[in-house]
Each structure stands twice: as structure tokens, then as C-alpha cells.
């Protein structure tokens, strides 16, 4: 399914039906909005979604300078890739009035790879566009979150990455990654347990600045016999399983 619309705004939910768009036969969904000289905004309303079944891919693209994608609702695929493209930013909008965090994995759902191409990357923001509480991370199977642009993890936000047999979730950033907030390292439930000497790459960035304010999940997965030691480099972050010193 492909929809091309040359206008300044498209709202999935209000315009295309309250439940949004659903491909049931495994086909992909592509929404293309705007033009080269026409800043535009593509919005998925709360309660609506753009969802492909099986291995169908979902691609939302906004053309033109200043183009944005705003997700109050979600996009998803059972096993296909998700690609979100806008010149300015892709925003996950947190509308809670009590400071409750939102989960990226509830708005962007797939066991396939996730690609965001935008100058300011993927942002978790309030309705005014300011940084809001939220968790960056995948849903379903571990894999890659690739940001082609800059990316910021704000002080009120968390980056959650899962360790699995033979690897881990990976955040790739082609621009500059600015870090603060919390790193939450999760171990695959009921499965993989890190062992001494294991090594995991968590972040691969062209440039990075700042550091996480705190980290969760670095021990306790094996009754305290080992710990996960963070190794920060100019272009990323990795973990090595090390012996815990009494």
C-alpha cells in the first residue's frame, strides 16, 4: 500500500479513519507527504496506528525543509523494518500530565530493524516540543535502532538495551550522540545469562558527548558473581563481563 500526498499536513486517525492503516496480507505500507518547498507534518493520532502484518515494512516520509513526524499513536510491523524519515525530527509525543514516562517500544513496534532519518533524530517530547520523560528501546526481538542524524538522550530519559546470546541491542547514530539520563541494561528474560569474558557493543556513534547520569542492571543477573563493566569510547559504548571484586 502506498499513499502520496502533496499537502502541508496529514493526520492518520482523523483523516484516514480512527484506527489508522492496517495491512493484513503481509504487504508493506508507505506514506509520503509534502514537497521539496513545502514544510509538512505527518501525525499519527493517539489510538491510531500504521501497522503491517508479517514481514511487511512500514515507511513514513515527510519531504521538504522543516518536515516532521509526530507519533501520538504508533507504527508497527510483526517482522518487517520500520523507516521514519523527516528533515527536522521524528517526535514521540508524551501527553501525560503527571510526568509518567512513555516507552518507545509501545509506539514503534517491530522485531525488524528500526531506522530514523532526521536532523534531530528521534525525540521524546511533550506537546510543546520540550524533552519529556521516556524510554528509548526496542519491542520484540533484539536488534538495531539506527539514527541517521543527531540523537539526544535527555536527563529525564532512559536508554534500555537488552543482552542476548551472541549480542545485544545496538543504537547506531551517524551524527552526534549527546548523553545524559539513565542506561538500563536488561538481560533476556528466561534465557541468556552473561558469563565472564563476554563482550557486548551497545552504542556505535560517529561522535558522542556527555555521559549517562546512572546505570541499571550491571549486576545481579548471576547472583552477583560477575559485573558488567562499561567501556566508553569517543564513538560508542560497550560492556565487558568482569569478575566482581568483593
Amino acid at each position: 500500500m502506498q499513499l502520496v500526498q502533496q499537502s502541508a499536513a496529514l493526520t492518520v486517525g482523523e483523516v484516514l479513519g480512527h484506527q489508522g492503516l492496517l495491512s493484513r496480507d503481509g504487504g508493506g505500507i508507505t506514506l509520503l507527504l509534502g514537497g521539496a518547498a513545502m514544510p509538512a507534518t505527518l501525525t499519527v493520532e493517539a489510538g491510531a496506528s500504521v501497522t503491517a502484518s508479517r514481514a511487511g515494512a512500514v515507511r513514513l516520509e515527510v519531504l521538504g525543509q522543516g518536515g516532521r513526524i509526530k507519533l501520538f499513536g504508533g507504527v508497527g510491523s510483526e517482522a518487517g523494518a520500520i523507516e521514519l524519515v523527516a528533515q527536522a525530527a521524528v517526535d514521540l509525543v508524551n501527553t501525560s500530565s503527571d510526568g509518567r514516562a512513555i516507552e518507545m517500544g509501545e509506539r514503534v513496534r517491530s522485531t525488524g530493524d528500526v531506522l530514523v532519518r532526521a536532523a534531530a533524530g528521534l525525540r521524546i517530547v511533550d506537546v510543546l516540543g520540550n524533552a519529556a520523560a521516556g524510554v528509548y528501546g526496542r519491542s520484540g526481538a533484539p536488534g538495531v535502532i539506527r539514527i541517521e542524524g543527531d540523537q539526544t538522550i535527555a536527563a529525564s530519559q532512559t536508554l534500555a538495551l537488552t543482552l542476548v546470546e551472541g549480542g545485544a541491542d545496538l543504537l547506531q547514530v551517524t551524527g552526534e550522540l549527546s548523553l545524559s539520563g539513565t542506561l538500563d541494561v536488561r538481560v533476556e528474560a528466561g534465557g541468556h545469562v552473561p558469563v565472564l569474558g563476554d563482550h557486548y557493543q551497545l552504542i556505535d556513534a560517529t561522535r558522542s558527548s556527555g555521559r549517562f547520569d546512572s546505570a541499571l542492571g550491571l549486576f545481579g543477573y548471576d547472583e552477583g558473581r560477575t559485573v558488567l563493566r562499561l567501556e566508553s569510547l569517543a564513538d560508542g559504548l560497550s560492556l565487558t563481563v568482569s569478575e566482581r571484586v568483593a
Side-chain angles (χ1 to χ4, degrees):
M1 177 192 301
Q2 180 167 314
L3 173 65
V4 179
Q5 183 163 324
Q6 293 187 336
S7 65
L10 174 65
T11 300
V12 176
E14 177 183 324
V15 176
L16 299 176
H18 180 66
Q19 298 302 317
L21 293 176
L22 172 63
S23 169
R24 298 182 182 276
D25 60 359
I29 298 176
T30 298
L31 298 182
L32 184 62
L33 174 67
M38 184 185 300
T41 300
L42 193 162
T43 302
V44 179
E45 285 191 330
S49 65
V50 180
T51 305
S53 62
R54 301 202 289 273
V58 173
R59 177 183 173 89
L60 308 184
E61 181 171 2
V62 179
L63 302 174
Q65 294 294 314
R68 295 179 180 274
I69 295 173
K70 293 187 177 183
L71 299 180
F72 294 82
V75 297
S77 174
E78 292 178 19
I82 293 178
E83 190 170 350
L84 306 173
V85 181
Q87 191 278 328
V90 176
D91 290 344
L92 308 181
V93 185
N94 185 343
T95 59
S96 69
S97 59
D98 58 3
R100 185 170 59 252
I102 63 170
E103 296 266 353
M104 172 187 168
E106 295 177 355
R107 302 282 180 96
V108 182
R109 304 177 299 274
S110 180
T111 58
D113 287 346
V114 174
L115 168 65
V116 174
R117 185 180 298 122
L122 181 65
R123 308 191 309 167
I124 297 178
V125 296
D126 61 20
V127 293
L128 298 178
N130 301 313
V135 179
Y136 291 96
R138 290 178 51 85
S139 66
V144 175
I145 302 170
R146 179 174 172 84
I147 309 295
E148 295 187 358
D150 294 337
Q151 180 64 37
T152 297
I153 310 295
S156 61
Q157 298 170 352
T158 296
L159 175 63
L161 300 173
T162 300
L163 309 183
V164 297
E165 187 74 37
D169 287 335
L170 177 64
L171 174 64
Q172 293 180 330
V173 179
T174 65
E176 180 168 357
L177 173 63
S178 299
L179 292 174
S180 55
T182 300
L183 173 66
D184 185 2
V185 179
R186 303 174 179 179
V187 176
E188 188 177 28
H192 175 61
V193 176
V195 298
L196 191 65
D198 282 352
H199 184 81
Y200 307 90
Q201 184 174 12
L202 300 182
I203 295 174
D204 178 14
T206 301
R207 302 177 303 280
S208 64
S209 60
R211 58 184 295 176
F212 288 110
D213 301 322
S214 60
L216 305 173
L218 300 184
F219 61 90
Y221 49 82
D222 64 352
E223 299 179 352
R225 293 188 298 273
T226 62
V227 296
L228 299 171
R229 179 165 54 87
L230 290 170
E231 300 178 3
S232 297
L233 302 172
D235 59 353
L237 181 72
S238 63
L239 290 174
T240 298
V241 183
S242 303
E243 187 173 358
R244 186 177 185 182
V245 178

